Amino acid sequence: QVPFSLVGALHGVHLFGAAAGVELREAATPTAHLAWAGYGNSITLIVLSPSPGPALARILDSAFGAMVRPPPS
């Protein structure tokens, strides 16, 4: 369980860094790992996981693909 205030604070750091030209992709707390991915200039996705790993980036990419991929014809 990660408190909403902690997630909000970490996202604030992510946004502040982005405004300064720095990209925060991952962060860790004692109980969770967070990953961010920006798509275009308007969509930022965040994933929380109990364990670290490269799968977090794939989860974000898959979620974005599911949101914007056109339906099969």
Side-chain angles (χ1 to χ4, degrees):
Q1 219 30 315
V2 178
F4 180 77
S5 59
L6 179 58
V7 174
L10 288 171
H11 187 58
V13 170
H14 171 79
L15 292 174
F16 181 78
V22 177
E23 185 177 12
L24 175 63
R25 292 181 184 214
E26 295 185 18
T29 72
T31 59
H33 295 268
L34 294 86
W36 290 264
Y39 301 91
N41 290 328
S42 60
I43 297 175
T44 300
L45 298 179
I46 304 170
V47 66
L48 285 99
S49 173
S51 61
L56 297 180
R58 287 193 301 259
I59 290 169
L60 290 167
D61 289 340
S62 295
F64 178 72
M67 290 179 358
V68 298
R69 189 168 295 146
S73 34

